Amino acid sequence: MIRKVFLTILLIFGFSFAYQDLNAKQFYEMMQKEKNVIILDVRTPQEYQEGHISNAINIPVQILGQQLDKLNNFKDKKILVYCRSGHRSAIASQILDKAGFKNVYNLKGGLFEWKASGLPLVK
């Protein structure tokens, strides 16, 4: 509820985030065609261990702000962000955008959409 109110206020004042939402097919295609893409899983370590997208780095959204130094070398690369449903990855995408990352892409619908599209996970 609070998040919706906050986002509504931001939209009213014309502020928008620079990250882009992608559906599962677009997200997968970008992974396949881009050589220097970073895949960021912002779920908990336990969720990550249960299954994740291949080559994903796991930094939970709750500590992302304190772990940005781990990503500073990737500011010029495309960062593909995902979580279970797309909610936490949208928040993480906003954090990255605010920190100066300009090529951020959020998996809209998260792993729910990824799995529904029949795309692979690794354990």
Side-chain angles (χ1 to χ4, degrees), residues 51-64:
H52 57 272
I53 294 174
S54 181
N55 299 316
I57 298 168
N58 180 227
I59 304 176
V61 70
Q62 296 88 343
I63 61 169
L64 181 60

Side-chain angles (χ1 to χ4, degrees), residues 65-83:
Q66 295 84 32
Q67 301 287 318
L68 287 173
D69 58 322
K70 292 183 179 180
L71 299 172
N72 277 336
N73 291 336
F74 307 124
K75 279 198 171 185
D76 61 333
K77 299 185 187 310
K78 292 184 178 179
I79 300 181
L80 305 178
V81 187
Y82 75 93
C83 66

Side-chain angles (χ1 to χ4, degrees), residues 11 33 35 40 57-58 72 75 89 91 93-94 102 105 109 120:
L11 291 173
K33 72 178 181 179
K35 292 186 184 221
L40 180 61
I57 298 168
N58 180 227
N72 277 336
K75 279 198 171 185
S89 58
I91 293 169
S93 295
Q94 293 168 12
K102 297 302 175 198
Y105 300 87

Side-chain angles (χ1 to χ4, degrees), residues 1 6 12 16 57 60 83 85 110 113 121:
M1 172 73 176
F6 177 71
I12 290 171
S16 66
I57 298 168
C83 66
S85 67
E113 183 177 331
L121 291 177

Side-chain angles (χ1 to χ4, degrees), residues 25-56:
K25 182 181 176 190
Q26 294 167 321
F27 197 90
Y28 183 74
E29 286 173 358
M30 188 173 287
M31 285 173 47
Q32 299 302 307
K33 72 178 181 179
E34 299 288 334
K35 292 186 184 221
N36 292 317
V37 68
I38 303 303
I39 304 165
L40 180 61
D41 183 323
V42 296
R43 300 174 301 150
T44 66
Q46 180 180 349
E47 288 174 300
Y48 180 83
Q49 291 301 319
E50 292 170 359
H52 57 272
I53 294 174
S54 181
N55 299 316

